[in-house]
Amino acid sequence: MLDTLKLPERHYLNNGHGLKSWLLTKDHKRIAIMYLISISVMFLIGGLFAAAVRVELMTPEGDLFLADTYNKMFTMHGVVMVFFFLIPSTPAVLGNFLIPPMIGAKDLAFPRINLLSLYLLWVGAAFFFYALFAGGVDTGWTFYTPFSSSASNSNVVPTALGAFISGFSSILTGLNFIVTIHRMRAPGLTWFRLPLFVWAHYATSLIQVLGTPVVAITIVMVAVERMFGFAIFDPVRGGDPVLFQHLFWFYSHPAVYIMILPAMGVISEVVSTFSRKTIFGYSFVAFSSLAIAVFGFLVWAHHLFVAGISTYSAMVFSFLSFAVAIPSAVKTFNWAATLYKGAISFETPMLYAYGFFGLFLIGGLTGLFLATLGVDIHVHDTYFVVAHFHYIMVGGAIMGYLGGLHFWWPKLTGRMYSEFFSRISAILVFVGFNLTFFPQFMLGYMGMPRRYHAYPDEFQVLNIMSSAGAAVLGVGYLLPVLYFLWSLKRGEVAGPNPWGASGLEWQMPSPPPTENFKEQPVVHGEPYEYTPHVAREANLV
Amino acid sequence: MGSFGIPLFPEQASTFARDVDALYFFIIAVSGFFALGVTVAVIVFGIVFRRRHAGEVGARIEGNLPLELAWSIIPTMISMVMFGWGASSYFHMRTPPAEALNIYAVGKQWMWKFQHLEGQREINELHVPVGRPVKVTITSEDVVHSLYLPSFRTKMDAIPGRYTHLWFEATKVGEYHIFCTEYCGTNHSGMIGTVVVMEPNDYQAWLAGGGVEGTLVERGQRLFQDLACGTCHLDTGKGRGPSLNDIVGKTVALADGSTAVVDEGYLRESIINSQAKIVQGYQPLMPAFQGLVSEDNLVALVEYVKSLSPQATTTAPAAATAPAAPAADPTKKK
């Protein structure tokens, strides 16, 4: 059956050749591919910094790197992964590629601004690379003052400007998505017929547009204090160092939801497709995305529970932090219920979705420990926190992103990858991840502080386990690079809808033509309609 | 307290430890229950409802409102139990008992300096008596640090420009870690030390062995004279600055019409940035001592001014003024 499938003659990948046809494209799909390549490179660089950190931590003594070098390693790991990989990841690659076809549109509302967003990310990255080659930066990705503004001798300003500029990339992408989702839906595609992937990106975009300017201003304040000596955060001159923490986390806590919400959107699509069933409680899942976006702005001070804020404000922020946990719990229950009476199969994207369940559950539930004031005082700024946010931002967000990449790869490229190796990689990532980060919860409760170059001997066993896990995880992350590249030439031709999915994007040829649809699609039914009739139409029987 | 040779929590050496660990295990139990439930459900569903032939589709189930409300509301209620328990523990941790022994901590890149009221000063080592509440007032000379005592399950940031505090009551004689948990630059992971919990008698003996410069109050009094503070701050209240007698804990009216409560933070600010709050009826004449008085000396000055308000000073010294021990470097222990 598959032998008869052929790639379409004309598609977005062969519509124009040469570098110029890519660099000046307005096609959201080509921009998405350029994002994919860019952030994959950044992920590799961020991963190398992480590997350096894990190797250093195999012994209690700080024996591999100088303390300053180590501090730069974890700082640049964080900066690269947060600003140049995680924040763009799912929205800029998968969202960019898929939101227009999912809503039956030819492109995003502002194709040129979309290209500008990509260029801004590149310019931001250029500043980061300048900082890197000029000697690196050692403030931690959090840039806490007055260390960053007065004490550090490293390249704070270029790094901060890199983050500042890439922030505008994020703002413009969010703006583009909001306008596109409002204005460009196909006839018949009402709000409650939108795929949950689109709802998740809508919520994400709100955070990007409303939150990112705050961190941009904060970064400018640090730069201005450093360069021109304005007293904003430096207490010696009347500034307030804790003010920085409020401003920084006002964005950077919601930023976690910029990373995880799109991944949740992916999981909704994958779970529905591979169980051939509509999402259980569509509106609960859709509204929980919005609830997370709104509550996400009201919890920032839980990063300041030991920063001398008043006892009562700490209680308010603790309470609100529990409130934001509820919509995430609701989503998880709804996904589990979706599986009930489904017709479930376990191709690679579904394996990633199952991996996401496991890691996101642990990541989400360990958030409860940190929201609980009495426990947070003990584990604040220890490895417990490091483990928790990696479970969310790596376990959750990257499992979602990789699951999505495997799910839509045939749509992106027209070809299938090796099912065997991709399953191996999904399992390696899951096992390696848990081995890396679960011991860090125990380290944290034992009291090991984060950002330590050297540590007391009693923490060594757990650190060795963690470093061993990181090696497994590294293999799990590298494998997809190989089989994805292999699939470009040799992969089986996928056809328009290899999974038998119901979304509009699967009605396009794979890879799609530049204009996505030959004629304007009209939507008549509900999302996620899997009936025997649909199955027959999709040639699944 | 270990399993398979891997310890699960640090020593329980303060009155907080048992409560924090109990709360920790309570949350583990609750989240373990939910994690296990969801995990079992997705695995069982994955097996029972696996696709048996290519054309099979799932049942059309759109949702179930009562069920969804149940799994929104029940977790909310359970989380409120965690919130309440955590908040009450925290309130307890943030409320030092009135009789607590007062110790000052100053963080600087990359060491912890502690000063006892009796005059002992130590670096990266903190001696405290067992079974007695100890309040540590914390500040920093440079960047943000965080004073972390894992065996006591407590920590607090050391923030330049202000005083923060934590308190604990040690329950077990021994030596425990002190860590800095707020990243502070090059030697962050070297900013560690030991808290030495001693029997009260040993502690008294230790106290007696140091303090060449006299008590903290005496040092503060000398600084007060050296800096000529008394020229304006006359006891009579008729000086160019307000009298400092019996002001601690009082509310003072300020020149801009607002009021302020006189506490350690207020005293510190009024010394280094004297123009920030001017007491009503006085001129802003006092020079700012920012950069002229070290944090260690500020602590001494603050303690001296506090000693002028005897009825407000709730923290009695642990021992009578210790005689100056000859030839002991105050920064070295034992």
Side-chain angles (χ1 to χ4, degrees):
Chain A
M1 185 181 83
L2 288 172
D3 299 338
T4 59
L5 291 172
K6 270 200 204 128
L7 290 184
E9 261 173 49
R10 224 177 40 72
H11 50 77
Y12 77 101
L13 290 167
N14 66 13
N15 180 17
H17 294 278
L19 199 58
K20 201 176 148 195
S21 77
W22 282 87
L23 292 180
L24 297 179
T25 186
K26 283 175 282 175
D27 182 356
H28 65 103
K29 298 183 287 299
R30 285 192 161 206
I31 294 170
I33 297 297
M34 287 190 281
Y35 266 116
L36 171 61
I37 296 165
S38 312
I39 68 165
S40 299
V41 171
M42 295 313 274
F43 183 64
L44 182 71
I45 294 170
L48 289 175
F49 289 131
V53 166
R54 281 315 329 162
V55 173
E56 170 65 71
L57 292 179
M58 288 173 72
T59 54
E61 305 82 26
D63 40 14
L64 182 61
F65 300 115
L66 295 172
D68 278 329
T69 313
Y70 176 82
N71 294 343
K72 288 174 180 175
M73 292 290 174
F74 74 69
T75 298
M76 293 185 293
H77 166 67
V79 169
V80 169
M81 289 303 201
V82 169
F83 294 109
F84 298 104
F85 174 72
L86 282 166
I87 287 178
S89 62
T90 302
V93 178
L94 298 173
N96 226 330
F97 196 101
L98 294 159
I99 288 176
M102 278 181 170
I103 65 170
K106 284 192 167 72
D107 205 320
L108 289 172
F110 307 114
R112 285 186 186 83
I113 289 183
N114 195 21
L115 186 62
L116 175 64
S117 306
L118 173 65
Y119 283 179
L120 286 173
L121 186 74
W122 284 347
V123 175
F127 274 88
F128 167 77
F129 282 114
Y130 168 79
L132 173 61
F133 291 114
V137 63
D138 70 349
T139 58
W141 80 275
T142 46
F143 301 111
Y144 267 25
T145 56
F147 182 73
S148 64
S149 57
S150 311
S152 171
N153 290 318
S154 63
N155 298 281
V156 179
V157 171
T159 312
L161 284 178
F164 174 78
I165 295 166
S166 73
F168 281 89
S169 165
S170 177
I171 294 171
L172 293 177
T173 300
L175 192 67
N176 221 337
F177 286 177
I178 291 175
V179 176
T180 305
I181 295 167
H182 269 276
R183 303 298 303 162
M184 299 179 70
R185 282 171 285 129
L189 187 57
T190 59
W191 281 92
F192 289 97
R193 287 175 172 177
L194 283 175
L196 289 162
F197 181 86
V198 177
W199 270 107
H201 276 77
Y202 186 80
T204 306
S205 303
L206 291 177
I207 305 174
Q208 287 176 306
V209 169
L210 297 175
T212 318
V214 177
V215 81
I217 294 163
T218 313
I219 287 171
V220 170
M221 286 156 93
V222 172
V224 163
E225 178 160 318
R226 246 187 109 83
M227 291 192 299
F228 309 118
F230 283 50
I232 303 168
F233 303 121
D234 180 6
V236 174
R237 290 172 292 158
D240 182 353
V242 181
L243 173 66
F244 173 86
Q245 298 181 24
H246 282 284
L247 292 171
F248 180 81
W249 289 113
F250 182 80
Y251 164 76
S252 294
H253 192 81
V256 175
Y257 302 112
I258 295 180
M259 303 170 202
I260 193 68
L261 275 169
M264 291 170 157
V266 169
I267 297 305
S268 292
E269 301 301 314
V270 170
V271 166
S272 164
T273 299
F274 290 89
S275 51
R276 296 250 173 95
K277 203 165 158 287
T278 189
I279 288 287
F280 188 92
Y282 172 96
S283 51
F284 265 68
V285 176
F287 280 118
S288 66
S289 288
L290 290 182
I292 288 172
V294 172
F295 281 120
F297 276 111
L298 304 175
V299 300
W300 77 88
H302 67 213
H303 296 269
L304 285 83
F305 283 162
V306 296
I309 62 172
S310 89
T311 306
Y312 295 103
S313 80
M315 289 182 183
V316 170
F317 279 100
S318 165
F319 179 83
L320 290 166
S321 302
F322 280 106
V324 80
I326 301 302
S328 303
V330 167
K331 270 184 198 283
T332 311
F333 294 138
N334 277 296
W335 287 322
T338 300
L339 299 170
Y340 176 72
K341 291 200 171 175
I344 301 167
S345 68
F346 287 98
E347 281 88 2
T348 308
M350 191 59 155
L351 289 185
Y352 273 104
Y354 263 62
F356 176 96
F357 289 153
L359 303 186
F360 182 69
L361 265 175
I362 297 176
L365 290 167
T366 50
L368 299 175
F369 295 81
L370 300 172
T372 303
L373 282 163
V375 176
D376 182 72
I377 302 309
H378 174 50
V379 293
H380 199 96
D381 272 324
T382 68
Y383 262 86
F384 193 94
V385 175
V386 175
H388 160 71
F389 74 71
H390 279 88
Y391 265 87
I392 298 288
M393 290 156 64
V394 185
I398 299 188
M399 288 304 260
Y401 170 69
L402 283 179
L405 207 52
H406 285 85
F407 182 48
W408 283 293
W409 186 258
K411 183 55 65 187
L412 266 60
T413 65
R415 291 182 187 271
M416 298 301 293
Y417 43 84
S418 154
E419 183 65 21
F420 174 76
F421 284 109
S422 58
R423 287 184 187 199
I424 300 271
S425 129
I427 291 165
L428 282 180
V429 168
F430 184 78
V431 172
F433 183 90
N434 281 305
L435 188 54
T436 309
F437 292 104
F438 203 86
Q440 295 185 4
F441 284 121
M442 299 158 84
L443 279 173
Y445 203 80
M446 283 296 296
M448 178 167 166
R450 63 190 291 203
R451 297 173 168 176
Y452 261 31
H453 171 230
Y455 54 83
D457 292 345
E458 70 250 36
F459 300 136
Q460 188 176 13
V461 174
L462 289 165
N463 268 298
I464 288 177
M465 287 166 71
S466 181
S467 295
V472 178
L473 190 57
V475 175
Y477 283 145
L478 279 175
L479 262 183
V481 179
L482 302 178
Y483 59 75
F484 277 150
L485 288 175
W486 176 88
S487 79
L488 291 178
K489 282 276 175 227
R490 299 180 179 249
E492 267 181 63
V493 174
N497 193 359
W499 315 117
S502 72
L504 259 183
E505 77 273 24
W506 298 104
Q507 293 178 18
M508 305 186 293
S510 305
T514 302
E515 69 276 16
N516 294 347
F517 299 99
K518 298 230 158 43
E519 49 197 67
Q520 174 67 56
V522 178
V523 177
H524 297 289
E526 302 304 311
Y528 311 115
E529 247 184 336
Y530 290 96
T531 61
H533 171 69
V534 171
R536 260 194 307 282
E537 292 276 290
N539 273 333
L540 297 173
V541 181
Chain B
M1 45 140 215
S3 64
F4 309 108
I6 299 171
L8 293 178
F9 49 83
E11 194 127 19
Q12 296 179 323
S14 80
T15 51
F16 302 145
R18 211 167 276 278
D19 178 49
V20 170
D21 291 347
L23 180 50
Y24 174 67
F25 285 111
F26 169 71
I27 305 174
I28 287 180
V30 171
S31 42
F33 170 79
F34 281 100
L36 201 67
V38 173
T39 307
V40 168
V42 299
I43 290 173
V44 167
F45 292 163
I47 295 167
V48 173
F49 302 112
R50 69 186 177 280
R51 196 177 300 167
R52 285 153 212 274
H53 58 89
E56 190 182 353
V57 295
R60 183 87 197 167
I61 304 170
E62 308 226 328
N64 181 329
L65 191 62
L67 194 59
E68 288 169 77
L69 286 176
W71 69 46
S72 308
I73 293 167
I74 294 172
T76 308
M77 284 160 48
I78 296 174
S79 75
M80 286 304 103
V81 176
M82 294 176 193
F83 164 73
W85 187 347
S88 90
S89 303
Y90 179 74
F91 191 81
H92 179 56
M93 287 167 143
R94 299 301 309 136
T95 317
E99 74 280 11
L101 181 67
N102 210 357
I103 292 174
Y104 284 91
V106 177
K108 68 170 281 192
Q109 289 173 320
W110 291 275
M111 64 176 78
W112 290 108
K113 298 188 288 185
F114 298 98
Q115 302 191 69
H116 299 253
L117 293 184
E118 289 71 19
Q120 285 75 3
R121 304 164 77 175
E122 39 185 348
I123 289 180
N124 291 345
E125 200 159 305
L126 171 62
H127 289 77
V128 294
V130 70
R132 172 146 189 213
V134 174
K135 177 185 167 190
V136 187
T137 302
I138 310 163
T139 190
S140 163
E141 268 181 32
D142 36 49
V143 301
V144 180
H145 304 278
S146 193
L147 180 66
Y148 179 32
L149 306 164
S151 296
F152 298 168
R153 308 290 187 274
T154 192
K155 71 163 68 72
M156 179 48 74
D157 285 1
I159 300 168
R162 70 176 69 165
Y163 287 135
T164 55
H165 66 264
L166 59 76
W167 78 276
F168 56 80
E169 182 181 328
T171 52
K172 225 187 250 183
V173 172
E175 299 193 356
Y176 309 100
H177 286 300
I178 297 172
F179 291 133
C180 173
T181 41
E182 187 60 69
Y183 173 66
C184 56
T186 308
N187 204 17
H188 169 52
S189 65
M191 193 167 161
I192 59 179
T194 311
V195 52
V196 183
V197 178
M198 309 169 92
E199 291 293 353
N201 290 339
D202 298 340
Y203 179 67
Q204 293 303 339
W206 179 82
L207 278 180
V212 283
E213 300 158 304
T215 67
L216 207 50
V217 169
E218 286 164 2
R219 253 181 68 218
Q221 188 172 18
R222 279 201 302 278
L223 282 162
F224 195 83
Q225 284 156 4
D226 293 348
L227 296 168
C229 308
T231 332
C232 299
H233 291 286
L234 302 177
D235 288 345
T236 57
K238 300 208 171 110
R240 280 174 289 176
S243 160
L244 302 178
N245 288 337
D246 288 327
I247 57 165
V248 173
K250 302 265 168 64
T251 303
V252 291
L254 302 179
D256 64 1
S258 63
T259 59
V261 175
V262 179
D263 59 9
E264 288 132 343
Y266 173 89
L267 293 175
R268 183 188 177 284
E269 183 189 45
S270 297
I271 297 168
I272 58 163
N273 182 15
S274 46
Q275 308 300 317
K277 296 190 176 82
I278 303 293
V279 176
Q280 208 168 49
Y282 291 90
Q283 294 301 310
L285 298 172
M286 180 169 155
F289 285 85
Q290 177 77 59
L292 301 175
V293 188
S294 71
E295 291 294 343
D296 298 6
N297 285 344
L298 275 170
V299 161
L301 277 170
V302 166
E303 266 310 312
Y304 171 65
V305 176
K306 278 168 70 183
S307 74
L308 303 177
S309 307
Q311 80 285 15
T313 311
T314 50
T315 56
T321 306
D329 181 343
T331 61
K332 279 222 181 91
K333 303 96 9 191
K334 289 183 222 165

